Amino acid sequence: KKIALSALIVQYMHYRDTVDFLIKNEVHGTNSFYWQMQLRYYMQGDVTIIKQLDASFEYGYEYLGVKSELPVSPTSERCWLSFTTALHHKFWSSVIGPSDYGKSQTIEDLASALGKYSYLY
């Protein structure tokens, strides 16, 4: 229960920060770049579609249980944006940097948001 509650708190903190960001940047429509750069979920019939900028993915419904999440930072949001754009254009992408900075966890969190299984080695 403690891990699930912690994960929910982290998610809601991110949602709060996202709403504050959109208000601060005076986003008034869905055509705004700041709105488009957010990871958004839409229902189209029985299918859940995830969109970010021009990228569009079908939700994978892969659930591996509750796990702890890293707080979403501007850096991890840019990483997600880069990865979804690369996936949309059928390119590869990788994260480089010092160890213990949350690179693997960031990719696992994106896979979880897309409902996909992630295997990191």
Side-chain angles (χ1 to χ4, degrees), residues 68-86:
S68 63
E69 289 190 17
L70 286 178
V72 180
S73 67
T75 303
S76 60
E77 285 184 328
R78 284 192 305 271
C79 181
W80 284 22
L81 186 60
S82 297
F83 269 87
T84 56
T85 302

Side-chain angles (χ1 to χ4, degrees), residues 14 22 43 61 65 67 69 80 82 84 94 98 105 107 115 120-121:
H14 172 64
L22 294 173
M43 289 300 296
Y61 296 100
K67 61 179 181 162
E69 289 190 17
W80 284 22
S82 297
T84 56
S94 66
Q105 185 67 38
I107 301 307
L120 301 172
Y121 55 92

Side-chain angles (χ1 to χ4, degrees), residues 64-114:
L64 299 174
V66 177
K67 61 179 181 162
S68 63
E69 289 190 17
L70 286 178
V72 180
S73 67
T75 303
S76 60
E77 285 184 328
R78 284 192 305 271
C79 181
W80 284 22
L81 186 60
S82 297
F83 269 87
T84 56
T85 302
L87 286 171
H88 173 68
H89 292 290
K90 309 291 191 256
F91 292 141
W92 289 92
S93 188
S94 66
V95 181
I96 58 172
S99 62
D100 296 330
Y101 273 69
K103 297 179 300 292
S104 297
Q105 185 67 38
T106 299
I107 301 307
E108 287 178 354
D109 288 347
L110 175 60
S112 178
L114 295 174

